[in-house]
Amino acid sequence: DGGITQSPKYLFRKEGQNVTLSCEQNLNHDAMYWYRQDPGQGLRLIYYSQIVNDFQKGDIAEGYSVSREKKESFPLTVTSAQKNPTAFYLCASRKAPGQGNYGYTFGSGTRLTVV
Amino acid sequence: ELKVEQNPLFLSMQEGKNYTIYCNYSTTSDRLYWYRQDPGKSLESLFVLLSNGAVKQEGRLMASLDTKARLSTLHITAAVHDLSATYFCAVDMNYGGSQGNLIFGKGTKLSVKP
C-alpha cells in the first residue's frame, strides 16, 4: 500500500548538533511539506516543495534546511541554529492541482527532543 | 496573512450530548479540511469541504462550510467516549497558480465523559 514513511519515530539531539529527519512517499505525489507541532498548538509550516529540486520557505523556516533531489524524498535537517527544536514533526504530501485528489497524506511523525 | 481561528479550544462534553466546533478564517480559500489527532499520533483526515454550502457526514460527525461567512462547523451528535481527541480545521492557501499549503487552527481538545 502507498503511504508516507517518516523515520525515526523518536530522535534525541544534543546541543549544537545537526540532525536529519527522513520523509519518503510512494504515492507519486508532487508536493511535499514539513510541519512542526508544539504541545497544545496547531501545525506550522516549515518548508514545502512542489517539484524536484525546488522548495519554498514556510512560516518558520529559520534553523531548518531541506532538499528535494528525488520526487519520493524530502528530508528535513534541523540545524544548530534552531534554538528550540523540541517538537513533533509531521511530513505531508499531495498531488498537483487538477488531478482530482484534494487530500493531503500525513506521515506518522517524528518526535525530536533536545537532551 | 491568512488566520484560522477555532473555538472552543477545550471542550468537555457528556456522553449523549450534542455540540459544535467553529472554525473561522480570514481570507478567501478554495477548500477546508477537518482532521482528528489522538495523543502522540499523526493526523487522520475526516472531511474535505470544497465549495460553499458543502455538508459532509460520517457517523456522529457532520461538517459544513459557508465560504461567504468564512466559517466551517464540525457538529458532534450524541457524543461517545471514542470521539475524545483533538480536532483541527485547516484552510488550503492557493497562492495564485501554485499549489497551496495548509494553514491550521490551534485545535479543539475534546473530552467526552460518561
Side-chain angles (χ1 to χ4, degrees), chain A residues 29-82:
Chain A
H29 283 177
D30 298 284
M32 297 186 74
Y33 305 82
W34 274 106
Y35 289 91
R36 169 180 171 144
Q37 186 179 28
D38 293 284
Q41 299 293 318
L43 280 69
R44 293 182 291 168
L45 182 66
I46 305 172
Y47 269 98
Y48 64 102
S49 168
Q50 298 172 9
I51 56 172
V52 174
N53 293 323
D54 186 53
F55 47 83
Q56 311 295 329
K57 291 183 178 180
D59 299 322
I60 55 166
E62 186 174 349
Y64 300 97
S65 66
V66 293
S67 63
R68 187 87 186 274
E69 297 177 0
K70 299 186 299 181
K71 187 175 184 178
E72 301 79 18
S73 179
F74 191 40
L76 174 74
T77 297
V78 184
T79 74
S80 56
Q82 172 49 241

Side-chain angles (χ1 to χ4, degrees), chain B residues 50-66:
Chain B
L50 301 177
S51 60
N52 187 41
V55 177
K56 291 196 174 180
Q57 183 163 5
E58 181 74 33
R60 301 174 186 274
L61 301 178
M62 183 173 71
S64 66
L65 178 62
D66 181 344

